[in-house]
Amino acid sequence: MSKLHIVANRLPYSLVKEENEYSLIESVGGLATGMKSVYTEYGGKWIGWSGVNSDELSNDESTKIDQLLDEKSCVTVPLSEQEILEYYEGFSNKTVWPLFHYFTQYVDYSPENWETYKRVNQRFADRVLEVAEDGDTVWVHDYQLLLVPEMIKSVKPNVTVGFFLHIPFPSYEVFRILPWRMELLKGMLGADLLGFHIYDYERHFLSSVRRLYGYEIAFNQIHAGNRIIKADSFPMGIDYEKFRKTSTMVMHKTIQERSDLHKELEKYFMTSPDRRLVLSIDRLDYTKGIPQRLKAFRKFLEKYPEFHGKVTLIMLAVPSRGQVEEYVNLKKEVDELVGNINGTYGNINYTPVWYFYRAMPFENLVELYNMSDVALITPLRDGMNLVAKEYVASRGNQTGVIVLSEMAGVAQEMGEAITINPINEDEIAAALHTALTMPIDEQKERMKFLQERIQRYSVFKWAGEFVNALENVKRIQKEFLVKKITDKVFTEINDKYKKAGKRAIFLDYDGTLTSFHKNPQEATPNEELYTILNRLIADERNTVTIISGRDRYTLEKWFADVPINLICEHGVWLRKHGEEWQTITKVNNDWMPIIRPVLERVVDRTPGSFIEEKNYSLVWHYRKAEPEQSLIRANELKDELLDLVGNLNLEIMEGSKVIEVKSGGINKGIAANQFIHNENFDHIIAMGDDWTDEYMFTELPKEAVTVKVGIQRTSANFKLESVDAVRQFLSQLGE
Ligand code: GDG
């Protein structure tokens, strides 16, 4: 049975050493919780770093640790201190992390760190390759492992690879700054499915792919050579029930059973009936907007003196990346601000900011969620922010208000929160005031909606949806395999071919016989192609026809010396070898003077695009224009044309980076059928890559061997993956 393996920087267990013996503690983080259900259910392994650097371990210890982890279906990737420094603290946290969060001023461009990042990513991939077999699925997580998908795919193309990015993917304008942008994208594009928290990150990613690699993108599918790669958004959830149950449990404890923190909080509330708690929880990270939050709280106290002595900000900052300069400075700034606020507004009975610089046990965390009237969550950038969801899940009595930064991914799911710009101190201060004075009924109404949504889309549902989407991708890949011309299928086709007395072979040109080029004029046939065609034509039982959307002059020029038939402009023109050009159906082009100015206006506004005029069609080419602008223009143009074409009996055809307007009532299918009409072909082969070739595949007799080049859905009977495969197929016919 095929398995599903997880790859993440860290394993879902930590190692603790007591009396020289290592043992494991289960990790309780969101990712570990969500993923454990997945990889155990699908019988896979979790591949990651154990958290202990390999220089510290003797051989015996390493073997013992590997055994312990093996019992939990975990596979370690050993990392030395130097590697952790350069791959994890270096490239991951000092390059990718700040850049992807728009902190370009903090980005470290050390080439040494990049080299180590590549080497360590390769080590992760090697471990995966030892474990994963053909047909298995691998789900790779996050920004530390951006290169791993391609490293897996290039060696084992039959392993399905998913990738999820937990942090934002930045706009192209920011991403392009990175000297290694091409390599990072290439690494990610090894995945069959790329997941992001929200659509904004997905569209930024697609935009970078389009601009840097020029791949065609239809909705959320990237057509990269012979592969289809899907990008989609999956907003990560939490283990809702765990927070809800823990919250109920801690609140029902007897006074004696309660934690010290709980007792402290109760004492605070007991001193006065109108005391309020505002909660702030994050890792101490510059992306989380902690100094700005403190300044906004100071502004709130300044603007609303009636809350002095009544509102306390309880701020939990979990130590993080403490060796890095920016984090050391941040810690200092936060310490000073807390001192300043407490010094200015505090007194012997009142401390405005309670500041904890440490991690707390889970139960304490839930107590804080449960007892705080307002959650103040103001990151400058945040991929999702699970704290907001955990606060919602812990609110047993359905009261409480969230003041939430619009820069957190989670803001898109929380219309009921009060959203703010995290730099705008006045706005945050006002939002805090609104939150603290919000009537209970309104709080409950908002909280009810939030709870319903977050309960429904839990971390398990999130993981399940991602796995389902991966299964879908797998299905598409299988569909390809079902129709693929294998050696065995080729032998069958070839046997029939050899027995046939009279054969018709229809070949599309661009994307079938030759690859696409940025400049369409460069797609000239090469020697190999002439040899293949001449060999086919030399067999007098064959009638070979190139059937293309191109104009007749180009094809005539390219195939002047080849005794071949040509069908051009999607079936308008036919030239049988040795005869004159003729039109297959009567078409007119009276419409051209009306449509041409419409296209010219688009060309004027879209640098790099141009118009091609064929006898019976006009084509707007935008392959060389700025890709995103051209897509907008293409949509505008289609809209405008749709209004015009109805009355003029025209068809709008959208091809690869072209929009073609042509007279209606003619296509490759009609043309191919007319061509074989009254002739006794007993074997027909038709090959093409574009959707215009689908007409040919559906209209030809069903016993014809119709071959789609590429992985997309098709009505053809067979598929080949590339131009090379087509050439090989044609070269071997009759052998
Ligand atoms: C990254 C992305 C994205 C915090 N303090 C304590 C504690 N926590 C737990 C919280 C929460 C988690 O840490 C923090 O998660 P966030 O989502 O808020 O932020 P990041 O750590 O930056 O995570 C982020 C996330 O990945 C998932 O994709 O949402 O945008 O940056 O679960 O509860 N837990 C305990 N004690 C603490 O003191 N036990």
Side-chain angles (χ1 to χ4, degrees), residues 28 30 97 101 164 166-167 197 236 243 281-283 288 316 318 358-362 365 369 382-387 390:
V28 288
W97 177 270
H101 285 88
F164 190 84
H166 289 262
I167 64 174
H197 282 303
M236 187 173 172
F243 282 88
I281 294 185
D282 341 65
R283 277 184 306 102
K288 303 286 182 183
L316 174 60
V318 181
R358 59 178 158 89
M360 283 194 182
F362 180 69
L365 191 79
Y369 285 141
D382 212 337
M384 170 54 65
N385 194 296
L386 298 178
V387 168
E390 294 168 1

Side-chain angles (χ1 to χ4, degrees), residues 127-173:
R127 293 298 259 171
V128 176
L129 289 166
E130 285 165 21
V131 168
E133 294 171 3
D134 276 2
D136 283 3
T137 301
V138 177
W139 184 356
V140 184
H141 286 268
D142 226 0
Y143 66 102
Q144 302 91 351
L145 303 175
L146 293 168
L147 304 177
V148 170
E150 203 269 335
M151 290 169 168
I152 299 172
K153 199 75 183 177
S154 57
V155 180
K156 292 202 171 167
N158 294 328
V159 166
T160 307
V161 183
F163 179 84
F164 190 84
L165 185 69
H166 289 262
I167 64 174
F169 193 93
S171 137
Y172 167 68
E173 284 305 322

Side-chain angles (χ1 to χ4, degrees), residues 525-552:
N526 61 9
E527 273 315 306
E528 184 195 54
L529 180 56
Y530 285 128
T531 311
I532 292 170
L533 292 174
N534 280 322
R535 181 183 155 278
L536 285 175
I537 294 158
D539 186 332
E540 59 188 19
R541 286 170 292 177
N542 289 344
T543 301
V544 182
T545 307
I546 292 200
I547 182 161
S548 162
R550 281 188 178 260
D551 67 90
R552 59 182 186 155

Side-chain angles (χ1 to χ4, degrees), residues 274-314:
D274 51 3
R275 290 219 130 174
R276 300 300 188 78
L277 266 189
V278 175
L279 179 64
S280 143
I281 294 185
D282 341 65
R283 277 184 306 102
L284 190 74
D285 194 290
Y286 50 79
T287 60
K288 303 286 182 183
I290 299 171
Q292 290 80 357
R293 189 179 313 161
L294 284 165
K295 287 181 199 159
F297 185 64
R298 186 168 62 190
K299 181 64 77 48
F300 167 80
L301 292 174
E302 184 188 310
K303 279 175 101 168
Y304 305 101
E306 66 272 26
F307 281 99
H308 290 184
K310 292 178 183 158
V311 174
T312 288
L313 172 67
I314 183 157

